Amino acid sequence: MSSTAGQVIRCKAAIAWEAGRPLSIEEVEVAPPQANEVRVKILFTSLCHTDVYFWEAKGQNPLFPRIYGHEAAGIVESVGEGVADLAPGDKVLPVFTGECKECAHCKSAESNMCSLLRINTDRGVMLSDGQSRFTAKGQPIYHFLGTSTFSEYSVMHVGSVAKINPSAPLDKVCVLSCGISTGLGATLNVAKPPKGSSVAVFGLGAVGLAAAEGARISGASRIIGVDVNTKRFEEAKKFGCTEFVNPKDHNKPVQEVIAEMTDGGVDRSVECTGNIDAMISAFECVHDGWGVAVLVGVPTKDAVFKTHPVNLLNERTLKGTFFGNYKPRSGLPSVVEKYMNKELEVEKFITHEVAFSDINKAFDYMLKGEGLRCIIRMEG
């Protein structure tokens, strides 16, 4: 066991004290892991739009003060009672959802939506005792998505920690613990485009580009990128996109444009925006008889999906997916292996890098729409 096992660790964390205000680097006390928990030394983390969304207090129930962050990589420092499959020194990816391996979802070969550890944006404490493992300035600091990776050390439920190849470079694979795996899996695991097929990807942010990358890996012959921001088109070519459509350039619904381009519709579509109109377009643009549309984006709570039932009766298939249908502990390591085997190119998703002390620059990049992923180095 490490020399710090069982002890409180004092380290630095970036704390959000209130909505929309720059994060503050503070000293925090991180308690030891309790039963079925793991304390991880975070080495690299990156900023995901979900962090920004809840930091801006656009989420359901804002909780402050809070330590954000959920896309990261690190090394196990110590483990709590009952943890058998992780040990100090293991390289790991924290995950915003989990896999308890005991519930009906975890035992199902088809589901990755763990009953115990499914994403919960409202919970700011640990499951076992309803307490935080972080303390700063004499008060508890809330957790975020069970990970809170904007801290040099963090405590997580063992079910939300995926052990990966010890040779994997953590400064690269850290970006695989959320958005990229979500988009990649939406294509590879859910849409499953046949070789030589056509795929439309709605939304060319990081998740959408990962979906395009999945189509490229699958051997799709036509990958049509759909976005209202034409500045993204050139970059998307690196991820396999062969054609582009900006809905604003046409005086007819984009699904009709795509149907005309593809002699009746694409074989598969993946929607990565969360915009309800884009979701409907993604479904209605697939070919009747065999087309499959996969929804990835998260819509607003009042959104309503409307389409004529004949679109379903004509044998189009509509699917939704969560985290690309990857089970975190048993499935995510395979994504890392795709990178290690040079099947998946991760570097092109990484457009910026900053030191932990400059973490607010990462927020600036995202708020300005600059780049895809910014790596935050916890040391140096």
Side-chain angles (χ1 to χ4, degrees), residues 13-299:
I15 301 176
W17 292 99
E18 57 183 291
R21 301 288 295 175
L23 305 189
S24 176
I25 305 292
E26 309 271 359
E27 181 177 88
V28 296
E29 296 179 348
V30 185
Q34 301 302 306
N36 296 315
E37 295 176 1
V38 181
R39 188 161 58 186
V40 177
K41 181 177 183 180
I42 304 297
L43 296 179
F44 298 93
T45 186
S46 58
L47 182 64
C48 173
H49 186 265
T50 303
D51 297 307
V52 176
Y53 181 78
F54 283 90
W55 165 74
E56 290 180 321
K58 293 180 179 178
Q60 293 92 323
N61 293 307
L63 291 176
F64 295 95
R66 203 170 201 180
I67 297 174
Y68 287 99
H70 64 282
E71 200 172 80
I75 296 174
V76 174
E77 175 269 336
S78 61
V79 301
E81 181 182 351
V83 176
D85 55 354
L86 287 173
D90 285 343
K91 282 188 175 182
V92 295
L93 299 183
V95 188
F96 65 91
T97 181
E99 182 184 356
C100 72
K101 296 191 175 183
E102 297 177 358
C103 71
H105 283 279
C106 287
K107 290 180 178 179
S108 167
E110 299 180 17
S111 176
N112 67 337
M113 301 188 71
C114 176
S115 298
L116 178 68
L117 298 168
R118 189 179 304 187
I119 184 173
N120 185 327
T121 57
D122 292 341
R123 187 174 60 238
V125 294
M126 299 301 292
L127 276 174
S128 62
D129 59 3
Q131 302 294 315
S132 173
R133 301 289 177 263
F134 297 112
T135 304
K137 298 183 177 180
Q139 69 179 101
I141 308 297
Y142 288 116
H143 294 247
F144 180 63
L145 298 183
T147 52
S148 290
T149 61
F150 293 166
S151 174
E152 292 175 327
Y153 287 86
S154 188
V155 177
M156 308 162 198
H157 190 285
V158 64
S160 296
V161 180
K163 181 179 177 180
I164 62 170
N165 188 328
S167 299
L170 298 185
D171 61 331
K172 303 295 190 298
V173 299
C174 63
V175 299
L176 296 178
S177 66
C178 182
I180 293 172
S181 293
T182 295
L184 184 75
T187 303
L188 296 180
N189 300 335
V190 188
K192 299 179 180 178
K195 187 174 182 179
S197 61
S198 57
V199 180
V201 178
F202 286 72
L204 299 177
V207 176
L209 292 175
E213 182 81 348
R216 182 191 67 79
I217 292 171
S218 298
S221 61
R222 298 180 71 179
I223 304 174
I224 303 170
V226 183
D227 203 298
V228 296
N229 183 356
T230 55
K231 294 180 180 178
R232 292 177 169 175
F233 291 172
E234 190 63 33
E235 183 77 12
K237 292 178 182 178
K238 300 177 184 177
F239 299 84
C241 286
T242 58
E243 301 160 71
F244 302 93
V245 176
N246 184 336
K248 292 182 177 179
D249 292 342
H250 303 273
N251 56 9
K252 64 177 71 174
V254 69
Q255 53 266 48
E256 294 182 14
V257 175
I258 293 173
E260 291 175 1
M261 292 171 61
T262 56
D263 192 23
V266 288
D267 302 308
R268 301 290 187 268
S269 70
V270 185
E271 188 286 325
C272 303
T273 71
N275 178 283
I276 192 63
D277 293 327
M279 291 181 168
I280 294 168
S281 295
F283 174 57
E284 295 183 351
C285 81
V286 299
H287 206 291
D288 58 3
W290 62 80
V292 178
V294 179
L295 305 186
V296 179
V298 180

